[in-house]
Every structure is written in C-alpha cells, then in structure tokens.
Amino acid sequence: MGRKVCLAIGVSTVSQPAPEQMLFPYLDGAVLAARAIGTWARAAGFAPDDVHVIDDAYVDGRENPVTCARVQGAADALFAAGGPAVEHVLLAFCGHGLTDENLASICWLFSDSVAAKYRVVAERFCGELLLRGVARITLISDACRDFPPRLDVLRLDPIRGVVLNGTPADSPLMDRLAACQDGAKGYMVFADQVPGKCIFSGVVTDALWGLEATAIADGVITTASLGACVLRRTTERAREYGLKLFPDCSVAPVPAILHRVAQPPAVPDDLQPWPPAGAGTAAAGAAPAPHGEAAAPPPPATVDIAKMLRTLVRDADDVTAAPTMKFASGLPRRMTRRFRALAMTVPEARANLVVRAARRVLSSAAAVLTRVSGTGWRVDAPGPQHAVLVEFNDGTVAPAVVGRDLLVSLLHRSGGTVHLAYATRSASWDRRRATDLIGRFASGSLGRDALPHLVAHLSHSGKPDPVVTVLTAYLLRADADIAGIRRLAARHAQAHGWIPFDVALLGAMPVERSEAHGMVAHVPTVAAASRPAPDGWPAAWCAATPAVHAPVGGLCPWLGRGWDYVCDPRPESRVLVDGLEVYASEIERTGFTVFRRGLGKALARTWRLDGK
C-alpha cells in the first residue's frame, strides 16, 4: 500500500472578541479525541512524520490556538512538493461546526474563526488536499451541524482553510463519517473533574482500536466495516446518556483496509474511558471544568447553545418547527402541484418564463423582453441562454436563466423564498420528476443517497434538467467528485449549449470573458472511469466525455450554498466570481439564491439589467 498520512484537528475553544457576543461551550474532549486518532494512526503503521495533530491545548501555560496558519504548516509538511505521493489521507476534525440544512454541507470553526470572521468549508478543505494527487480521503468530522440564524455568524467568510496546488488523481475516493445529520448537534459527555469524551469520535476510536467487534469483517477493519459500525454504535452509545445522535456515514464503494486484526496495535493504557451513564453533556449546555494539561481555561461565561442555535423557520405555512429544521413531509407533493398549476397559466408556445406575483423582469439590452400574459414572459436573446432578474411584489429579487428550448418557472412563497424549475416543451414527466426533486431539496430531505437516482435520470435524459444538474453537482462535490461534475457539464453543454453557473464553479473549470458570449467555461476532457460504476449507477455514467467550451448560464450562483465558493476562490474561478464576494455575506445559504430588496436593485445596476 502507498503512503498514508493523518491530519487530526481538535478545537476546544472558539474565542470571541467580546464576552457579550456569541459564546461556544468549552470542549476539552475535542483535543483528546484528535490526539487519540493521531495515536492510533502511529500505532497502526503510519510513519511518525506522516501524522500531525493540531489542537489548542495550552503549552507551558500559554494559549496555542488552532489557526489556518498552523493547519497550513501541517499540510505543507505532509504534502511537500516533490515528496512521495499520498494514497490515503485520514482527516479528522473535532470541535465546533455549523452547516445549512441541505446537501450534506459541513463547516468547521477554528479557535479564531469568530474573531477573524471566517469558517472553513470542509469539502473545500478536502478539495485542496486532493490537488496533491491523493487517491482517497477518509473524513471524520465530529462537529455540530446546526444552522445558527444569527447574521454575524452567517457573515463568517467561507474559506478553504488550506491552500495547495497540483493535479488531482483520477477519480479519487471519499469516505465521510460525520457525527450527526444536517441540522443537528453533536455531543460531548463528561463526569465531574474529568475531561469530556466526544461521543462520535469516541466510538470511532474504539472501533479503530478493535474494541468494537462489529467493526471487524473477515479479520480486518476496513472503511466499509468502520462506517457500518459507527453508524449503529453511535446511536446506541448516545442513548446510554439519554441523547439522540444519528451520524451521517457513507463510504466509497471500494473499501480500504485500515488494519488487520491479526496484527493489532496495542491499545494504550491511557485510552480515555467512557463516563458513567447519566453523565453531563456539552455542546448543548454548560461546560465541564478544565482538567489536566490537555485542557485550556474555559471562556469567562457560557450560554445555552441550544437556545442560540434555534431552528430557522422560513415559511410558516409549509414547515414544522422540528429540531432538524425539516420542512413538512408533504411539501414536495404540494410544490409539484403548484409548479404544474403555474406552468398552465400561460400558452407554453409563447412564454419561456413563468412567474406569479412578479413586479417586473430585468434583462440586458441584448434581449427582447415581451410580457405575453399576467404570469408569462417571452425572453428572446441571441445566445442559447440569457440571465434575468425577477423582482417580486414584496421587493425580493431572484436570478434566473432563460433557455431557448426550456420553460422556466419561478415559484415565490411567503417569507421571501423562491424556487426554480425547468421543463422541456414535450416532456411533461420531466417536469413532474424535477419538481418533486426540488420539493425534496426545499424540505431538506435531498441527500447523497439520492445520487444514483439523479445520475440515472441525467444519464438517460436527452435534455438534462438544469436545476437537477445543479443539485447533482453539489452532491458530487460533497464526494470530491470533480470528474463527475465535469461529465455533467459536458453533457449539459452538448444538450443545451450552455453550463449552469454553479456547475462551472464547483467543477473548477477555467473561465474567460468573451465579448460575444459573456463568460465561457472550458470543460476539460474526462477519461473513462478506471473503476466500474457503483451499484445502482448507470454504466453510461463512467464513459469518457470530450472537452467542451460553452457559455456560463447565470451571473451568480443559483443556490445560496454556492456563495460559499465565491470567497477565497481558486485561481481558475476568479473570473467567474469576480466582484461577487462583496455581496456574499448578504446571501442566505439555504435554498435558491434570493436578493433582499435593495441588494437586488444594486446588482441590477452592476450587471446593467433593465426592467419591464
């Protein structure tokens, strides 16, 4: 087996510039968890220089915060230019995190994140490591995934966390073991006067050391057996403490051997024990007292983070206030009916943009904009696609891309949310299927388990749905599947003559500006996959796709989450996102992109769009 490296990060304290601002509970267990994973890696045969643990434990009585600079130093050492290639990375983060409710996103907070106003987007962090030719990443993320509604937290700049350069390996593999599902909290349990133990990473380390029998399959512990064990045992262990914790575990279809039971590493005598059942918990309450040399003094005050990370309710008529922020289960069905009813309000032969409650539609001078009914517009432009802004009666503004051969519908709902759907003129079943998927996305129930269905739909569709293509690209990006995103781009460009903005952004495609076509993406050639398609995926998905040059559809990300890629861009994306970073802090990350009142008007002036 090739070179294996381990990078484990433990953050017990997130500092804040002033006590009255947002406070996070103190998690001494995060430091111990990161160190335990590093200890296992060394015992399991990782070279000593290939294991780096970065944590914020005090050193000689002094603070030692986890910062991007320290993590960058570890990454530079592990992935030094000219050094031996890395086949497998074990990447672990233990500490505080946050996310939105859609599409498996994870963000981490380092010690100075709040003070320095940034958050680390985990998939972008992994993307940087993959640029060093890494064949596989096994990610262990023990962090909350609750969405804080406070605007100051939303304005933390989303960054990569590390910066590396190179060429990614062909079809790298990604394993993701996350402590909890989207919209939920992770937990640390503790007893009096002893350090806390993080439930999820505690189960992971027990399994790695061979203390969980179900992690062993045919005499070995593999990524597959580890994932299956951790998925079940985390929930069982949390129940012992009266907690509900449901991890999000998915592993690549080709398992990697972590170690052989016949040659087990010796379990260390100081492996942290589990507190007795009924012990206290943190991450949703007060912190334990600091203990031992691994601990740092707690913040001067703590607050109940459960109150601070309240459920963000967006649309009272269609949501239930549940801790996981999921919309009512009937939303996909209701949304499908509303989209179909909206599309039937205009003669499809004339309109290619349908929207209700719109005050006006704004487009560039290159397009001819004609209102054909109370809810329908006809946008005629010289190219295969044209970007517009739709201003609604409540002042909110939503971007859309009108395609020459597509009917686009915008559904505006109470609370200012907007949803977007496309349909070809001849395939009504496409519209029904796509709007059902959009409903699942709006309800927070569209996850990575939907990928086989989405890929099959797009592989067999002569005219792939643009929104389904965008949603699929985000799910592929969570798996670090850049080659898959580029396959999507090539097929969409061949079918429609253009590529959605988000697909070009997520696929790390070079973009240049053209006088005739605006922004043009250069989609590289993608070779046929070196491995067969995973179970449930169409074989056609693995076929090679040619290099394609195509206009970019849209002037900004279609989804709110895409704005996390606008800040701190890779060099190839700078042209695509130039000038957008100043607006990123104003865009909510859930759902489709929506501009609030004055922001939409400012962008219309910037993009030179006029209304009708």
Side-chain angles (χ1 to χ4, degrees):
M1 184 176 180
R3 183 178 171 223
K4 300 183 294 183
V5 305
C6 172
L7 175 58
I9 304 168
V11 181
S12 66
T13 302
V14 177
S15 303
Q16 52 280 322
E20 67 273 10
Q21 294 190 359
M22 186 188 69
L23 299 176
F24 288 88
Y26 169 64
L27 300 176
D28 56 353
V31 171
L32 298 177
R35 292 183 175 186
I37 291 172
T39 300
W40 174 85
R42 296 185 187 96
F46 289 58
D49 289 343
D50 288 340
V51 178
H52 283 248
V53 177
I54 308 296
D55 62 54
D56 61 354
Y58 271 40
V59 176
D60 297 329
R62 295 183 176 182
E63 293 183 355
N64 190 30
V66 173
T67 62
C68 288
R70 289 185 63 199
V71 175
Q72 181 71 53
D76 289 341
L78 290 171
F79 303 98
V86 175
E87 181 172 334
H88 192 175
V89 175
L90 179 63
L91 173 62
F93 176 86
C94 307
H96 287 291
L98 45 93
T99 187
D100 64 33
E101 77 244 34
N102 288 305
L103 301 174
S105 65
I106 300 174
C107 290
W108 299 327
L109 300 180
F110 289 174
S111 301
D112 62 344
S113 281
V114 172
K117 298 182 179 179
Y118 73 88
R119 53 193 167 93
V120 177
V121 181
E123 64 195 42
R124 298 187 67 188
F125 190 104
C126 293
E128 292 296 303
L129 304 188
L130 290 172
L131 290 175
R132 300 302 296 162
V134 173
R136 185 185 202 117
I137 294 178
T138 297
L139 171 66
I140 300 169
S141 179
D142 193 354
C144 290
R145 299 175 71 186
D146 209 345
F147 186 89
R150 291 181 51 143
L151 191 58
D152 57 348
V153 177
L154 293 179
R155 286 180 174 174
L156 299 180
D157 289 338
I159 66 170
R160 291 172 274 168
V162 292
V163 177
L164 297 171
N165 293 296
T167 303
D170 175 42
S171 302
L173 298 173
M174 185 79 184
D175 310 306
R176 281 174 38 119
L177 309 180
C180 46
Q181 298 177 4
D182 291 339
K185 289 180 281 291
Y187 294 97
M188 181 184 76
V189 291
F190 59 91
D192 290 342
Q193 301 305 312
V194 297
K197 188 175 181 75
C198 298
I199 292 179
F200 180 73
S201 50
V203 171
V204 170
T205 52
D206 280 359
L208 289 172
W209 286 110
L211 301 179
E212 292 285 356
T214 57
I216 303 170
D218 299 325
V220 297
I221 296 178
T222 68
T223 49
S225 64
L226 175 67
C229 169
V230 170
L231 183 66
R232 180 178 61 84
R233 285 292 292 139
T234 299
T235 299
E236 294 174 349
R237 183 67 77 173
R239 194 179 299 127
E240 296 175 10
Y241 299 96
L243 301 169
K244 293 182 179 180
L245 185 58
F246 302 99
D248 181 9
C249 300
S250 61
V251 297
V254 181
I257 295 176
L258 297 170
H259 74 78
R260 301 181 185 278
V261 177
Q263 303 168 329
V267 179
D269 294 335
D270 60 352
L271 183 66
Q272 188 183 10
W274 287 96
T281 63
H291 177 84
E293 64 98 19
T302 57
V303 297
D304 185 348
I305 201 170
K307 296 179 180 178
M308 184 173 62
L309 304 186
R310 301 185 301 275
T311 297
L312 183 62
V313 177
R314 295 192 170 280
D315 201 346
D317 63 340
D318 275 333
V319 300
T320 54
T324 55
M325 298 184 306
K326 302 302 183 187
F327 286 78
S329 59
L331 177 59
R333 191 177 304 110
R334 291 199 298 273
M335 184 173 289
T336 299
R337 289 198 301 266
R338 292 173 185 174
F339 267 122
R340 293 173 66 187
L342 178 60
M344 293 173 62
T345 61
V346 298
E348 290 193 7
R350 297 182 61 197
N352 55 7
L353 172 65
V354 184
V355 57
R356 181 177 287 129
R359 181 179 298 164
R360 57 178 180 160
V361 175
L362 301 94
S363 68
S364 72
V368 177
L369 186 63
T370 307
R371 189 162 191 166
V372 298
S373 72
T375 57
W377 280 261
R378 178 75 193 177
V379 182
D380 292 301
Q385 56 78 35
H386 191 75
V388 299
L389 291 177
V390 176
E391 182 181 350
F392 293 92
N393 290 335
D394 66 354
T396 58
V397 176
V401 176
V402 179
R404 180 181 296 162
D405 55 350
L406 293 168
L407 175 68
V408 57
S409 304
L410 276 76
L411 184 62
H412 180 264
R413 300 166 64 223
S414 59
T417 57
V418 174
H419 297 290
L420 189 68
Y422 285 83
T424 59
R425 306 222 175 259
S426 58
S428 60
W429 64 271
D430 274 343
R431 182 186 305 146
R432 290 195 299 270
R433 180 174 298 181
T435 52
D436 178 68
L437 290 170
I438 295 165
R440 290 181 59 192
F441 165 65
S443 70
S445 61
L446 183 64
R448 296 163 71 242
D449 60 334
L451 264 176
H453 172 75
L454 293 169
V455 167
H457 170 64
L458 294 172
S459 297
H460 299 304
S461 175
K463 292 286 188 180
D465 183 284
V467 171
V468 176
T469 298
V470 168
L471 294 175
T472 304
Y474 279 95
L475 293 173
L476 290 171
R477 191 65 176 80
D479 277 343
D481 190 355
I482 300 298
I485 297 172
R486 291 174 174 177
R487 287 190 178 98
L488 284 181
R491 290 166 180 163
H492 195 281
Q494 290 168 342
H496 295 294
W498 56 279
I499 299 168
F501 187 103
D502 304 53
V503 177
L505 182 61
L506 298 174
M509 302 166 197
V511 175
E512 63 182 21
R513 291 191 181 275
S514 163
E515 287 292 333
H517 304 290
M519 291 184 292
V520 176
H522 299 263
V523 186
T525 300
V526 179
S530 57
R531 293 181 295 270
D535 291 342
W537 292 50
W541 173 252
C542 295
T545 53
V548 176
H549 293 185
V552 174
L555 300 170
C556 67
W558 293 20
L559 299 193
R561 187 179 166 195
W563 292 82
D564 275 356
Y565 291 81
V566 166
C567 299
D568 188 27
R570 294 285 314 172
E572 60 272 11
S573 299
R574 292 191 187 281
V575 171
L576 187 63
V577 302
D578 183 38
L580 294 179
E581 67 277 2
V582 297
Y583 305 107
S585 63
E586 304 294 333
I587 310 301
E588 295 179 358
R589 298 305 196 258
T590 53
F592 290 88
T593 291
V594 176
F595 304 124
R596 303 298 176 188
R597 297 185 181 274
L599 179 59
K601 293 181 178 180
L603 283 168
R605 290 192 296 269
T606 299
W607 293 331
R608 299 179 181 178
L609 305 182
D610 196 11
K612 182 171 183 177

